[in-house]
mmCIF file with all atom_site columns, all heavy atoms in Angstrom:
data_model
loop_
_atom_site.group_PDB
_atom_site.id
_atom_site.type_symbol
_atom_site.label_atom_id
_atom_site.label_alt_id
_atom_site.label_comp_id
_atom_site.label_asym_id
_atom_site.label_entity_id
_atom_site.label_seq_id
_atom_site.pdbx_PDB_ins_code
_atom_site.Cartn_x
_atom_site.Cartn_y
_atom_site.Cartn_z
_atom_site.occupancy
_atom_site.B_iso_or_equiv
_atom_site.pdbx_formal_charge
_atom_site.auth_seq_id
_atom_site.auth_comp_id
_atom_site.auth_asym_id
_atom_site.auth_atom_id
_atom_site.pdbx_PDB_model_num
ATOM 1   N N   . ILE A 1 84  ? 20.343 -7.041  30.937 1.00 0.00 ? 322 ILE A N   1
ATOM 2   C CA  . ILE A 1 84  ? 19.970 -8.200  31.528 1.00 0.00 ? 322 ILE A CA  1
ATOM 3   C C   . ILE A 1 84  ? 20.653 -8.340  32.824 1.00 0.00 ? 322 ILE A C   1
ATOM 4   O O   . ILE A 1 84  ? 20.171 -8.676  33.857 1.00 0.00 ? 322 ILE A O   1
ATOM 5   C CB  . ILE A 1 84  ? 20.123 -9.472  30.721 1.00 0.00 ? 322 ILE A CB  1
ATOM 6   C CG1 . ILE A 1 84  ? 19.017 -9.432  29.450 1.00 0.00 ? 322 ILE A CG1 1
ATOM 7   C CG2 . ILE A 1 84  ? 20.033 -10.785 31.416 1.00 0.00 ? 322 ILE A CG2 1
ATOM 8   C CD1 . ILE A 1 84  ? 19.169 -10.438 28.384 1.00 0.00 ? 322 ILE A CD1 1
ATOM 9   N N   . GLU A 1 85  ? 21.997 -8.132  32.724 1.00 0.00 ? 323 GLU A N   1
ATOM 10  C CA  . GLU A 1 85  ? 22.877 -8.330  33.837 1.00 0.00 ? 323 GLU A CA  1
ATOM 11  C C   . GLU A 1 85  ? 22.369 -7.216  35.039 1.00 0.00 ? 323 GLU A C   1
ATOM 12  O O   . GLU A 1 85  ? 22.371 -7.546  36.135 1.00 0.00 ? 323 GLU A O   1
ATOM 13  C CB  . GLU A 1 85  ? 24.330 -8.032  33.550 1.00 0.00 ? 323 GLU A CB  1
ATOM 14  C CG  . GLU A 1 85  ? 25.005 -9.126  32.762 1.00 0.00 ? 323 GLU A CG  1
ATOM 15  C CD  . GLU A 1 85  ? 24.770 -10.529 33.368 1.00 0.00 ? 323 GLU A CD  1
ATOM 16  O OE1 . GLU A 1 85  ? 24.769 -10.654 34.559 1.00 0.00 ? 323 GLU A OE1 1
ATOM 17  O OE2 . GLU A 1 85  ? 24.434 -11.471 32.582 1.00 0.00 ? 323 GLU A OE2 1
ATOM 18  N N   . HIS A 1 86  ? 22.182 -6.032  34.452 1.00 0.00 ? 324 HIS A N   1
ATOM 19  C CA  . HIS A 1 86  ? 21.681 -5.037  35.437 1.00 0.00 ? 324 HIS A CA  1
ATOM 20  C C   . HIS A 1 86  ? 20.410 -5.406  36.201 1.00 0.00 ? 324 HIS A C   1
ATOM 21  O O   . HIS A 1 86  ? 20.327 -5.251  37.329 1.00 0.00 ? 324 HIS A O   1
ATOM 22  C CB  . HIS A 1 86  ? 21.458 -3.794  34.695 1.00 0.00 ? 324 HIS A CB  1
ATOM 23  C CG  . HIS A 1 86  ? 21.012 -2.446  35.553 1.00 0.00 ? 324 HIS A CG  1
ATOM 24  N ND1 . HIS A 1 86  ? 19.825 -2.007  35.581 1.00 0.00 ? 324 HIS A ND1 1
ATOM 25  C CD2 . HIS A 1 86  ? 21.662 -1.851  36.523 1.00 0.00 ? 324 HIS A CD2 1
ATOM 26  C CE1 . HIS A 1 86  ? 19.666 -1.036  36.395 1.00 0.00 ? 324 HIS A CE1 1
ATOM 27  N NE2 . HIS A 1 86  ? 20.861 -0.991  36.993 1.00 0.00 ? 324 HIS A NE2 1
ATOM 28  N N   . ILE A 1 87  ? 19.482 -6.014  35.386 1.00 0.00 ? 325 ILE A N   1
ATOM 29  C CA  . ILE A 1 87  ? 18.239 -6.528  36.087 1.00 0.00 ? 325 ILE A CA  1
ATOM 30  C C   . ILE A 1 87  ? 18.526 -7.508  37.075 1.00 0.00 ? 325 ILE A C   1
ATOM 31  O O   . ILE A 1 87  ? 17.986 -7.488  38.283 1.00 0.00 ? 325 ILE A O   1
ATOM 32  C CB  . ILE A 1 87  ? 17.270 -6.886  34.966 1.00 0.00 ? 325 ILE A CB  1
ATOM 33  C CG1 . ILE A 1 87  ? 16.931 -5.702  34.054 1.00 0.00 ? 325 ILE A CG1 1
ATOM 34  C CG2 . ILE A 1 87  ? 16.041 -7.464  35.637 1.00 0.00 ? 325 ILE A CG2 1
ATOM 35  C CD1 . ILE A 1 87  ? 16.102 -6.120  32.852 1.00 0.00 ? 325 ILE A CD1 1
ATOM 36  N N   . PHE A 1 88  ? 19.516 -8.533  36.787 1.00 0.00 ? 326 PHE A N   1
ATOM 37  C CA  . PHE A 1 88  ? 19.670 -9.505  37.553 1.00 0.00 ? 326 PHE A CA  1
ATOM 38  C C   . PHE A 1 88  ? 20.293 -9.004  38.968 1.00 0.00 ? 326 PHE A C   1
ATOM 39  O O   . PHE A 1 88  ? 20.067 -9.478  39.989 1.00 0.00 ? 326 PHE A O   1
ATOM 40  C CB  . PHE A 1 88  ? 20.802 -10.514 36.973 1.00 0.00 ? 326 PHE A CB  1
ATOM 41  C CG  . PHE A 1 88  ? 20.090 -11.558 36.180 1.00 0.00 ? 326 PHE A CG  1
ATOM 42  C CD1 . PHE A 1 88  ? 20.641 -11.925 34.859 1.00 0.00 ? 326 PHE A CD1 1
ATOM 43  C CD2 . PHE A 1 88  ? 19.025 -12.271 36.601 1.00 0.00 ? 326 PHE A CD2 1
ATOM 44  C CE1 . PHE A 1 88  ? 20.077 -12.945 34.092 1.00 0.00 ? 326 PHE A CE1 1
ATOM 45  C CE2 . PHE A 1 88  ? 18.417 -13.315 35.798 1.00 0.00 ? 326 PHE A CE2 1
ATOM 46  C CZ  . PHE A 1 88  ? 18.975 -13.592 34.620 1.00 0.00 ? 326 PHE A CZ  1
ATOM 47  N N   . SER A 1 89  ? 21.164 -8.022  38.735 1.00 0.00 ? 327 SER A N   1
ATOM 48  C CA  . SER A 1 89  ? 21.950 -7.368  39.810 1.00 0.00 ? 327 SER A CA  1
ATOM 49  C C   . SER A 1 89  ? 21.019 -6.817  40.895 1.00 0.00 ? 327 SER A C   1
ATOM 50  O O   . SER A 1 89  ? 21.286 -6.606  42.043 1.00 0.00 ? 327 SER A O   1
ATOM 51  C CB  . SER A 1 89  ? 22.854 -6.391  39.441 1.00 0.00 ? 327 SER A CB  1
ATOM 52  O OG  . SER A 1 89  ? 22.252 -5.210  39.164 1.00 0.00 ? 327 SER A OG  1
ATOM 53  N N   . MET A 1 90  ? 19.774 -6.600  40.462 1.00 0.00 ? 328 MET A N   1
ATOM 54  C CA  . MET A 1 90  ? 18.829 -6.015  41.379 1.00 0.00 ? 328 MET A CA  1
ATOM 55  C C   . MET A 1 90  ? 17.848 -7.170  41.931 1.00 0.00 ? 328 MET A C   1
ATOM 56  O O   . MET A 1 90  ? 16.907 -6.741  42.597 1.00 0.00 ? 328 MET A O   1
ATOM 57  C CB  . MET A 1 90  ? 17.933 -4.901  40.680 1.00 0.00 ? 328 MET A CB  1
ATOM 58  C CG  . MET A 1 90  ? 18.768 -3.700  40.257 1.00 0.00 ? 328 MET A CG  1
ATOM 59  S SD  . MET A 1 90  ? 17.629 -2.357  39.585 1.00 0.00 ? 328 MET A SD  1
ATOM 60  C CE  . MET A 1 90  ? 17.008 -3.254  38.177 1.00 0.00 ? 328 MET A CE  1
ATOM 61  N N   . GLY A 1 91  ? 18.248 -8.208  41.505 1.00 0.00 ? 329 GLY A N   1
ATOM 62  C CA  . GLY A 1 91  ? 17.512 -9.308  41.999 1.00 0.00 ? 329 GLY A CA  1
ATOM 63  C C   . GLY A 1 91  ? 16.094 -9.530  41.322 1.00 0.00 ? 329 GLY A C   1
ATOM 64  O O   . GLY A 1 91  ? 15.139 -10.148 41.799 1.00 0.00 ? 329 GLY A O   1
ATOM 65  N N   . LYS A 1 92  ? 15.986 -8.893  40.164 1.00 0.00 ? 330 LYS A N   1
ATOM 66  C CA  . LYS A 1 92  ? 14.719 -8.975  39.381 1.00 0.00 ? 330 LYS A CA  1
ATOM 67  C C   . LYS A 1 92  ? 14.878 -9.943  38.244 1.00 0.00 ? 330 LYS A C   1
ATOM 68  O O   . LYS A 1 92  ? 15.919 -10.392 37.886 1.00 0.00 ? 330 LYS A O   1
ATOM 69  C CB  . LYS A 1 92  ? 14.269 -7.691  38.906 1.00 0.00 ? 330 LYS A CB  1
ATOM 70  C CG  . LYS A 1 92  ? 13.993 -6.767  40.122 1.00 0.00 ? 330 LYS A CG  1
ATOM 71  C CD  . LYS A 1 92  ? 13.325 -5.338  39.591 1.00 0.00 ? 330 LYS A CD  1
ATOM 72  C CE  . LYS A 1 92  ? 12.879 -4.584  40.775 1.00 0.00 ? 330 LYS A CE  1
ATOM 73  N NZ  . LYS A 1 92  ? 12.135 -3.430  40.315 1.00 0.00 ? 330 LYS A NZ  1
ATOM 74  N N   . THR A 1 93  ? 13.754 -10.249 37.637 1.00 0.00 ? 331 THR A N   1
ATOM 75  C CA  . THR A 1 93  ? 13.702 -11.236 36.466 1.00 0.00 ? 331 THR A CA  1
ATOM 76  C C   . THR A 1 93  ? 13.632 -10.372 35.132 1.00 0.00 ? 331 THR A C   1
ATOM 77  O O   . THR A 1 93  ? 12.726 -9.537  34.949 1.00 0.00 ? 331 THR A O   1
ATOM 78  C CB  . THR A 1 93  ? 12.507 -11.983 36.487 1.00 0.00 ? 331 THR A CB  1
ATOM 79  O OG1 . THR A 1 93  ? 12.564 -12.761 37.817 1.00 0.00 ? 331 THR A OG1 1
ATOM 80  C CG2 . THR A 1 93  ? 12.423 -13.031 35.320 1.00 0.00 ? 331 THR A CG2 1
ATOM 81  N N   . PRO A 1 94  ? 14.547 -10.563 34.212 1.00 0.00 ? 332 PRO A N   1
ATOM 82  C CA  . PRO A 1 94  ? 14.449 -9.950  32.946 1.00 0.00 ? 332 PRO A CA  1
ATOM 83  C C   . PRO A 1 94  ? 13.431 -10.606 32.036 1.00 0.00 ? 332 PRO A C   1
ATOM 84  O O   . PRO A 1 94  ? 13.349 -11.854 32.037 1.00 0.00 ? 332 PRO A O   1
ATOM 85  C CB  . PRO A 1 94  ? 15.842 -10.278 32.300 1.00 0.00 ? 332 PRO A CB  1
ATOM 86  C CG  . PRO A 1 94  ? 16.735 -10.735 33.404 1.00 0.00 ? 332 PRO A CG  1
ATOM 87  C CD  . PRO A 1 94  ? 15.807 -11.360 34.374 1.00 0.00 ? 332 PRO A CD  1
ATOM 88  N N   . ILE A 1 95  ? 12.546 -9.755  31.473 1.00 0.00 ? 333 ILE A N   1
ATOM 89  C CA  . ILE A 1 95  ? 11.461 -10.269 30.588 1.00 0.00 ? 333 ILE A CA  1
ATOM 90  C C   . ILE A 1 95  ? 11.927 -9.683  29.316 1.00 0.00 ? 333 ILE A C   1
ATOM 91  O O   . ILE A 1 95  ? 11.960 -8.534  29.005 1.00 0.00 ? 333 ILE A O   1
ATOM 92  C CB  . ILE A 1 95  ? 10.022 -9.669  30.940 1.00 0.00 ? 333 ILE A CB  1
ATOM 93  C CG1 . ILE A 1 95  ? 9.826  -9.684  32.437 1.00 0.00 ? 333 ILE A CG1 1
ATOM 94  C CG2 . ILE A 1 95  ? 8.989  -10.298 30.041 1.00 0.00 ? 333 ILE A CG2 1
ATOM 95  C CD1 . ILE A 1 95  ? 9.541  -11.123 32.998 1.00 0.00 ? 333 ILE A CD1 1
ATOM 96  N N   . ILE A 1 96  ? 12.288 -10.580 28.317 1.00 0.00 ? 334 ILE A N   1
ATOM 97  C CA  . ILE A 1 96  ? 12.535 -10.140 26.961 1.00 0.00 ? 334 ILE A CA  1
ATOM 98  C C   . ILE A 1 96  ? 11.360 -10.009 26.159 1.00 0.00 ? 334 ILE A C   1
ATOM 99  O O   . ILE A 1 96  ? 10.729 -11.065 25.903 1.00 0.00 ? 334 ILE A O   1
ATOM 100 C CB  . ILE A 1 96  ? 13.518 -11.117 26.230 1.00 0.00 ? 334 ILE A CB  1
ATOM 101 C CG1 . ILE A 1 96  ? 14.672 -11.553 27.179 1.00 0.00 ? 334 ILE A CG1 1
ATOM 102 C CG2 . ILE A 1 96  ? 14.265 -10.431 25.007 1.00 0.00 ? 334 ILE A CG2 1
ATOM 103 C CD1 . ILE A 1 96  ? 15.625 -10.465 27.783 1.00 0.00 ? 334 ILE A CD1 1
ATOM 104 N N   . ALA A 1 97  ? 10.922 -8.897  25.585 1.00 0.00 ? 335 ALA A N   1
ATOM 105 C CA  . ALA A 1 97  ? 9.717  -8.795  24.889 1.00 0.00 ? 335 ALA A CA  1
ATOM 106 C C   . ALA A 1 97  ? 10.006 -8.193  23.449 1.00 0.00 ? 335 ALA A C   1
ATOM 107 O O   . ALA A 1 97  ? 10.646 -7.084  23.357 1.00 0.00 ? 335 ALA A O   1
ATOM 108 C CB  . ALA A 1 97  ? 8.652  -7.856  25.592 1.00 0.00 ? 335 ALA A CB  1
ATOM 109 N N   . GLY A 1 98  ? 9.443  -8.809  22.505 1.00 0.00 ? 336 GLY A N   1
ATOM 110 C CA  . GLY A 1 98  ? 9.682  -8.223  21.103 1.00 0.00 ? 336 GLY A CA  1
ATOM 111 C C   . GLY A 1 98  ? 9.535  -9.317  20.049 1.00 0.00 ? 336 GLY A C   1
ATOM 112 O O   . GLY A 1 98  ? 9.358  -10.452 20.263 1.00 0.00 ? 336 GLY A O   1
ATOM 113 N N   . GLY A 1 99  ? 9.672  -8.689  18.856 1.00 0.00 ? 337 GLY A N   1
ATOM 114 C CA  . GLY A 1 99  ? 9.412  -9.607  17.655 1.00 0.00 ? 337 GLY A CA  1
ATOM 115 C C   . GLY A 1 99  ? 10.573 -9.718  16.680 1.00 0.00 ? 337 GLY A C   1
ATOM 116 O O   . GLY A 1 99  ? 10.392 -10.283 15.552 1.00 0.00 ? 337 GLY A O   1
ATOM 117 N N   . THR A 1 100 ? 11.698 -9.167  17.031 1.00 0.00 ? 338 THR A N   1
ATOM 118 C CA  . THR A 1 100 ? 12.747 -9.308  16.141 1.00 0.00 ? 338 THR A CA  1
ATOM 119 C C   . THR A 1 100 ? 13.484 -10.501 16.316 1.00 0.00 ? 338 THR A C   1
ATOM 120 O O   . THR A 1 100 ? 14.353 -10.502 17.342 1.00 0.00 ? 338 THR A O   1
ATOM 121 C CB  . THR A 1 100 ? 13.786 -7.981  16.285 1.00 0.00 ? 338 THR A CB  1
ATOM 122 O OG1 . THR A 1 100 ? 12.863 -6.770  15.984 1.00 0.00 ? 338 THR A OG1 1
ATOM 123 C CG2 . THR A 1 100 ? 14.791 -8.058  15.226 1.00 0.00 ? 338 THR A CG2 1
ATOM 124 N N   . GLY A 1 101 ? 13.261 -11.450 15.493 1.00 0.00 ? 339 GLY A N   1
ATOM 125 C CA  . GLY A 1 101 ? 13.937 -12.826 15.639 1.00 0.00 ? 339 GLY A CA  1
ATOM 126 C C   . GLY A 1 101 ? 15.339 -12.822 15.670 1.00 0.00 ? 339 GLY A C   1
ATOM 127 O O   . GLY A 1 101 ? 15.801 -13.555 16.610 1.00 0.00 ? 339 GLY A O   1
#
Side-chain angles (χ1 to χ4, degrees):
Chain A
I322 289 170
E323 289 312 320
H324 181 250
I325 295 169
F326 275 136
S327 77
M328 294 185 299
K330 294 191 172 187
T331 303
I333 315 288
I334 317 298
T338 303

